[in-house]
Structures are given as C-alpha cells and as structure tokens.
Amino acid sequence: MSEPLAFRNTCHQCPIRHRAVCSSCDDDEIEQLNQFKSYQTFLAGQSIAVRGDALDVVASVVSGTATLERAVEDGRTQIVGLLLPSDFIGRPGRETLQYDVTAVTDVTLCSFQRRPFEKMLAD
C-alpha cells in the first residue's frame, strides 16, 4: 500500500534524514537516490517481506516498528530483531532476504531499487 507523505518530494524534510543510510549523502547524491526511491506503507500485522524472497529493493524504516523473524525447526517463530525508524532492511550484495519482516505497527518505508542503489554505492 502506498501513501502520500508530507516529505515525499523532498528528502531534506524527511524525519530520518540525518540518521538513515542517506545521512552522509550530499545534495547531488540525494538527487540520484530520488530517481529510484519510493514510499510504501504496511499496516500493523502485515508481512513486509518473506525469507528467501528476491531482494529487489532495500529500504529504510521511516516510521513504525517491524520485526525480523525466523522459523525454528519445531515450527515456532523466533523474533531476532526489531526495526525502528532509520533502520535498514536488506543487504546490498545479497540476492535474497535472510529473515521474514512483519509490521508490528503501521510502517512506512523509503524503498530503493536494489541494483541502482548498489551501483551508486560502488560509484
């Protein structure tokens, strides 16, 4: 689900701008990121990503809380981490996700297409 946000058109007004993955970007780099970013909102309880899914995007949590989870052999689910605003989902260089990600509260992500993001990191 996508949702218009007050800071959608300008990263400079983003509430996580100075502590997220983009915090060290200069104005030119922010402009580059704008070319392949989008915002997505997930409702509390909704699955954001599933372990083993293709990692087409990486993302910063803009608002809300999510869990990183994994299934254990006896069928239980183990929470291995919490994601809070400015935390990052995904790892550049990986093709798939290592954990399930679930929204605990309503979550808004600033998502970046993985391949252009990795190219920008390399450059």
Short mmCIF file of all heavy atoms in Angstrom, two decimals, residues 11 16 20-22 25 29-30 32-40 55-61 88-89 109-118 120:
data_model
loop_
_atom_site.label_atom_id
_atom_site.label_comp_id
_atom_site.label_asym_id
_atom_site.label_seq_id
_atom_site.Cartn_x
_atom_site.Cartn_y
_atom_site.Cartn_z
N CYS A 11 13.69 15.10 0.39
CA CYS A 11 14.38 14.32 1.41
C CYS A 11 14.83 15.19 2.57
O CYS A 11 15.00 14.71 3.69
CB CYS A 11 15.59 13.61 0.81
SG CYS A 11 15.14 12.32 -0.37
N ILE A 16 13.86 11.03 9.17
CA ILE A 16 15.04 10.21 9.47
C ILE A 16 16.26 10.63 8.65
O ILE A 16 17.29 9.98 8.69
CB ILE A 16 14.76 8.70 9.25
CG1 ILE A 16 14.42 8.42 7.79
CG2 ILE A 16 13.68 8.22 10.22
CD1 ILE A 16 14.44 6.95 7.42
N ALA A 20 19.59 8.09 8.82
CA ALA A 20 19.36 6.93 7.95
C ALA A 20 20.56 6.69 7.05
O ALA A 20 21.56 7.42 7.11
CB ALA A 20 18.10 7.17 7.11
N VAL A 21 20.44 5.69 6.20
CA VAL A 21 21.53 5.33 5.29
C VAL A 21 21.94 6.50 4.40
O VAL A 21 23.09 6.60 3.98
CB VAL A 21 21.14 4.08 4.46
CG1 VAL A 21 20.02 4.41 3.48
CG2 VAL A 21 22.32 3.48 3.75
N CYS A 22 21.04 7.41 4.16
CA CYS A 22 21.32 8.56 3.28
C CYS A 22 21.90 9.76 4.04
O CYS A 22 22.14 10.81 3.44
CB CYS A 22 20.05 8.97 2.56
SG CYS A 22 18.69 9.34 3.68
N CYS A 25 24.84 11.57 2.49
CA CYS A 25 24.73 11.95 1.08
C CYS A 25 24.70 13.47 0.93
O CYS A 25 24.05 14.17 1.71
CB CYS A 25 23.45 11.37 0.48
SG CYS A 25 23.45 9.58 0.33
N GLU A 29 23.91 13.46 -4.52
CA GLU A 29 23.62 12.05 -4.24
C GLU A 29 22.16 11.84 -3.85
O GLU A 29 21.54 10.85 -4.25
CB GLU A 29 24.55 11.53 -3.14
CG GLU A 29 25.99 11.45 -3.60
CD GLU A 29 26.99 11.30 -2.46
OE1 GLU A 29 26.71 11.79 -1.34
OE2 GLU A 29 28.05 10.70 -2.71
N ILE A 30 21.60 12.79 -3.12
CA ILE A 30 20.17 12.72 -2.78
C ILE A 30 19.34 12.77 -4.06
O ILE A 30 18.37 12.04 -4.21
CB ILE A 30 19.76 13.85 -1.80
CG1 ILE A 30 20.39 13.62 -0.43
CG2 ILE A 30 18.25 14.00 -1.71
CD1 ILE A 30 19.87 12.40 0.30
N GLN A 32 20.24 11.69 -6.96
CA GLN A 32 20.37 10.37 -7.58
C GLN A 32 19.44 9.36 -6.90
O GLN A 32 18.76 8.59 -7.58
CB GLN A 32 21.81 9.87 -7.50
CG GLN A 32 22.78 10.59 -8.41
CD GLN A 32 24.20 10.09 -8.21
OE1 GLN A 32 24.43 9.01 -7.68
NE2 GLN A 32 25.17 10.89 -8.63
N LEU A 33 19.42 9.36 -5.57
CA LEU A 33 18.54 8.44 -4.84
C LEU A 33 17.07 8.68 -5.19
O LEU A 33 16.28 7.74 -5.30
CB LEU A 33 18.73 8.60 -3.33
CG LEU A 33 19.99 8.00 -2.71
CD1 LEU A 33 20.09 8.39 -1.24
CD2 LEU A 33 20.00 6.49 -2.87
N ASN A 34 16.71 9.94 -5.37
CA ASN A 34 15.32 10.27 -5.72
C ASN A 34 14.87 9.61 -7.01
O ASN A 34 13.68 9.39 -7.21
CB ASN A 34 15.13 11.78 -5.82
CG ASN A 34 14.93 12.42 -4.48
OD1 ASN A 34 14.31 11.86 -3.59
ND2 ASN A 34 15.48 13.62 -4.32
N GLN A 35 15.81 9.29 -7.89
CA GLN A 35 15.47 8.70 -9.17
C GLN A 35 14.96 7.26 -9.03
O GLN A 35 14.25 6.77 -9.91
CB GLN A 35 16.68 8.72 -10.11
CG GLN A 35 17.23 10.10 -10.39
CD GLN A 35 16.18 11.04 -10.96
OE1 GLN A 35 15.49 10.70 -11.90
NE2 GLN A 35 16.06 12.22 -10.37
N PHE A 36 15.31 6.59 -7.95
CA PHE A 36 14.89 5.18 -7.81
C PHE A 36 14.35 4.85 -6.42
O PHE A 36 14.42 3.72 -5.97
CB PHE A 36 16.02 4.22 -8.20
CG PHE A 36 17.34 4.46 -7.53
CD1 PHE A 36 17.62 3.88 -6.30
CD2 PHE A 36 18.31 5.25 -8.15
CE1 PHE A 36 18.84 4.10 -5.69
CE2 PHE A 36 19.54 5.46 -7.54
CZ PHE A 36 19.80 4.88 -6.31
N LYS A 37 13.75 5.84 -5.77
CA LYS A 37 13.14 5.59 -4.46
C LYS A 37 11.62 5.67 -4.57
O LYS A 37 11.08 6.27 -5.49
CB LYS A 37 13.64 6.56 -3.41
CG LYS A 37 12.93 7.88 -3.41
CD LYS A 37 13.28 8.73 -2.21
CE LYS A 37 12.44 9.98 -2.26
NZ LYS A 37 12.87 11.01 -1.40
N SER A 38 10.97 5.04 -3.62
CA SER A 38 9.51 5.13 -3.50
C SER A 38 9.15 4.89 -2.04
O SER A 38 9.96 4.37 -1.27
CB SER A 38 8.82 4.11 -4.39
OG SER A 38 9.17 2.79 -4.00
N TYR A 39 7.96 5.29 -1.65
CA TYR A 39 7.48 5.07 -0.30
C TYR A 39 6.41 3.99 -0.31
O TYR A 39 5.60 3.94 -1.23
CB TYR A 39 6.91 6.36 0.30
CG TYR A 39 7.96 7.42 0.53
CD1 TYR A 39 8.15 8.45 -0.37
CD2 TYR A 39 8.77 7.36 1.66
CE1 TYR A 39 9.12 9.41 -0.17
CE2 TYR A 39 9.76 8.32 1.87
CZ TYR A 39 9.92 9.33 0.95
OH TYR A 39 10.89 10.27 1.16
N GLN A 40 6.44 3.14 0.70
CA GLN A 40 5.43 2.11 0.86
C GLN A 40 4.98 2.10 2.31
O GLN A 40 5.80 2.29 3.21
CB GLN A 40 6.00 0.73 0.53
CG GLN A 40 6.43 0.56 -0.91
CD GLN A 40 7.06 -0.79 -1.09
OE1 GLN A 40 8.17 -1.01 -0.67
NE2 GLN A 40 6.32 -1.71 -1.70
N LEU A 55 15.48 -10.12 -3.42
CA LEU A 55 15.71 -8.80 -2.83
C LEU A 55 15.80 -7.78 -3.96
O LEU A 55 16.88 -7.45 -4.44
CB LEU A 55 16.99 -8.83 -1.99
CG LEU A 55 17.29 -7.62 -1.14
CD1 LEU A 55 16.16 -7.36 -0.15
CD2 LEU A 55 18.59 -7.84 -0.38
N ASP A 56 14.64 -7.30 -4.40
CA ASP A 56 14.59 -6.32 -5.48
C ASP A 56 14.75 -4.90 -4.96
O ASP A 56 15.14 -4.01 -5.71
CB ASP A 56 13.27 -6.43 -6.25
CG ASP A 56 13.12 -7.77 -6.94
OD1 ASP A 56 14.15 -8.33 -7.39
OD2 ASP A 56 11.99 -8.26 -7.03
N VAL A 57 14.39 -4.69 -3.68
CA VAL A 57 14.52 -3.38 -3.07
C VAL A 57 15.19 -3.51 -1.71
O VAL A 57 15.15 -4.57 -1.08
CB VAL A 57 13.16 -2.66 -2.89
CG1 VAL A 57 12.49 -2.40 -4.22
CG2 VAL A 57 12.25 -3.42 -1.96
N VAL A 58 15.84 -2.44 -1.29
CA VAL A 58 16.32 -2.27 0.08
C VAL A 58 15.59 -1.05 0.60
O VAL A 58 15.10 -0.24 -0.19
CB VAL A 58 17.86 -2.11 0.14
CG1 VAL A 58 18.55 -3.39 -0.27
CG2 VAL A 58 18.33 -0.95 -0.72
N ALA A 59 15.49 -0.91 1.92
CA ALA A 59 14.63 0.17 2.42
C ALA A 59 15.05 0.65 3.80
O ALA A 59 15.61 -0.11 4.59
CB ALA A 59 13.18 -0.31 2.49
N SER A 60 14.75 1.91 4.07
CA SER A 60 14.88 2.48 5.41
C SER A 60 13.49 2.58 6.01
O SER A 60 12.54 2.97 5.33
CB SER A 60 15.48 3.88 5.34
OG SER A 60 16.83 3.83 4.98
N VAL A 61 13.38 2.25 7.29
CA VAL A 61 12.12 2.44 8.00
C VAL A 61 12.00 3.94 8.30
O VAL A 61 12.87 4.51 8.94
CB VAL A 61 12.09 1.62 9.31
CG1 VAL A 61 10.80 1.90 10.09
CG2 VAL A 61 12.24 0.13 9.03
N PHE A 88 17.59 -0.24 8.50
CA PHE A 88 17.66 -0.60 7.08
C PHE A 88 17.23 -2.05 6.89
O PHE A 88 17.62 -2.93 7.67
CB PHE A 88 19.11 -0.40 6.60
CG PHE A 88 19.25 -0.28 5.12
CD1 PHE A 88 18.76 0.83 4.45
CD2 PHE A 88 19.88 -1.26 4.39
CE1 PHE A 88 18.90 0.96 3.08
CE2 PHE A 88 20.04 -1.14 3.02
CZ PHE A 88 19.54 -0.02 2.37
N ILE A 89 16.46 -2.30 5.85
CA ILE A 89 16.01 -3.65 5.50
C ILE A 89 16.74 -4.08 4.24
O ILE A 89 16.71 -3.38 3.23
CB ILE A 89 14.50 -3.69 5.26
CG1 ILE A 89 13.75 -3.30 6.53
CG2 ILE A 89 14.06 -5.07 4.78
CD1 ILE A 89 12.25 -3.13 6.34
N LEU A 109 8.04 2.77 4.68
CA LEU A 109 9.40 2.53 4.22
C LEU A 109 9.75 3.49 3.09
O LEU A 109 8.91 3.82 2.26
CB LEU A 109 9.55 1.11 3.66
CG LEU A 109 9.23 -0.06 4.57
CD1 LEU A 109 9.41 -1.37 3.79
CD2 LEU A 109 10.12 -0.05 5.80
N CYS A 110 11.01 3.92 3.08
CA CYS A 110 11.58 4.60 1.92
C CYS A 110 12.39 3.52 1.22
O CYS A 110 13.43 3.08 1.72
CB CYS A 110 12.46 5.76 2.36
SG CYS A 110 13.21 6.63 0.97
N SER A 111 11.89 3.05 0.09
CA SER A 111 12.48 1.91 -0.61
C SER A 111 13.31 2.36 -1.81
O SER A 111 12.94 3.30 -2.52
CB SER A 111 11.37 0.98 -1.11
OG SER A 111 10.59 0.51 -0.04
N PHE A 112 14.42 1.66 -2.01
CA PHE A 112 15.31 1.93 -3.14
C PHE A 112 15.45 0.67 -3.97
O PHE A 112 15.65 -0.42 -3.43
CB PHE A 112 16.72 2.33 -2.64
CG PHE A 112 16.71 3.47 -1.67
CD1 PHE A 112 16.83 3.24 -0.31
CD2 PHE A 112 16.59 4.77 -2.12
CE1 PHE A 112 16.83 4.29 0.59
CE2 PHE A 112 16.58 5.83 -1.22
CZ PHE A 112 16.70 5.59 0.13
N GLN A 113 15.35 0.80 -5.28
CA GLN A 113 15.61 -0.34 -6.15
C GLN A 113 17.04 -0.80 -5.87
O GLN A 113 17.98 0.01 -5.87
CB GLN A 113 15.43 0.05 -7.61
CG GLN A 113 14.01 0.45 -7.94
CD GLN A 113 13.92 1.09 -9.31
OE1 GLN A 113 14.84 1.05 -10.12
NE2 GLN A 113 12.77 1.69 -9.59
N ARG A 114 17.21 -2.09 -5.59
CA ARG A 114 18.50 -2.60 -5.12
C ARG A 114 19.64 -2.39 -6.12
O ARG A 114 20.72 -1.95 -5.75
CB ARG A 114 18.40 -4.08 -4.74
CG ARG A 114 19.71 -4.62 -4.15
CD ARG A 114 19.59 -6.08 -3.76
NE ARG A 114 19.25 -6.96 -4.84
CZ ARG A 114 20.15 -7.53 -5.64
NH1 ARG A 114 21.43 -7.30 -5.48
NH2 ARG A 114 19.75 -8.33 -6.61
N ARG A 115 19.44 -2.73 -7.37
CA ARG A 115 20.56 -2.65 -8.32
C ARG A 115 21.08 -1.23 -8.52
O ARG A 115 22.28 -1.01 -8.44
CB ARG A 115 20.17 -3.30 -9.64
CG ARG A 115 19.97 -4.81 -9.46
CD ARG A 115 20.20 -5.57 -10.73
NE ARG A 115 19.80 -6.95 -10.60
CZ ARG A 115 20.55 -7.91 -10.07
NH1 ARG A 115 21.74 -7.63 -9.61
NH2 ARG A 115 20.10 -9.15 -10.01
N PRO A 116 20.22 -0.23 -8.75
CA PRO A 116 20.75 1.14 -8.84
C PRO A 116 21.38 1.61 -7.52
O PRO A 116 22.38 2.34 -7.54
CB PRO A 116 19.52 2.00 -9.19
CG PRO A 116 18.51 1.06 -9.71
CD PRO A 116 18.80 -0.28 -9.11
N PHE A 117 20.83 1.16 -6.39
CA PHE A 117 21.39 1.51 -5.08
C PHE A 117 22.80 0.95 -4.96
O PHE A 117 23.73 1.65 -4.56
CB PHE A 117 20.48 0.99 -3.96
CG PHE A 117 20.91 1.40 -2.59
CD1 PHE A 117 20.54 2.63 -2.09
CD2 PHE A 117 21.67 0.57 -1.79
CE1 PHE A 117 20.92 3.03 -0.80
CE2 PHE A 117 22.06 0.93 -0.52
CZ PHE A 117 21.68 2.17 -0.02
N GLU A 118 22.98 -0.32 -5.33
CA GLU A 118 24.31 -0.94 -5.27
C GLU A 118 25.29 -0.26 -6.23
O GLU A 118 26.45 -0.06 -5.89
CB GLU A 118 24.22 -2.43 -5.61
CG GLU A 118 23.55 -3.24 -4.54
CD GLU A 118 23.35 -4.69 -4.93
OE1 GLU A 118 23.34 -5.03 -6.15
OE2 GLU A 118 23.18 -5.51 -4.02
N MET A 120 25.19 2.85 -7.16
CA MET A 120 25.54 4.14 -6.56
C MET A 120 26.58 3.95 -5.46
O MET A 120 27.53 4.73 -5.34
CB MET A 120 24.30 4.82 -6.00
CG MET A 120 24.52 6.23 -5.55
SD MET A 120 22.96 6.98 -5.07
CE MET A 120 23.59 8.38 -4.18
#
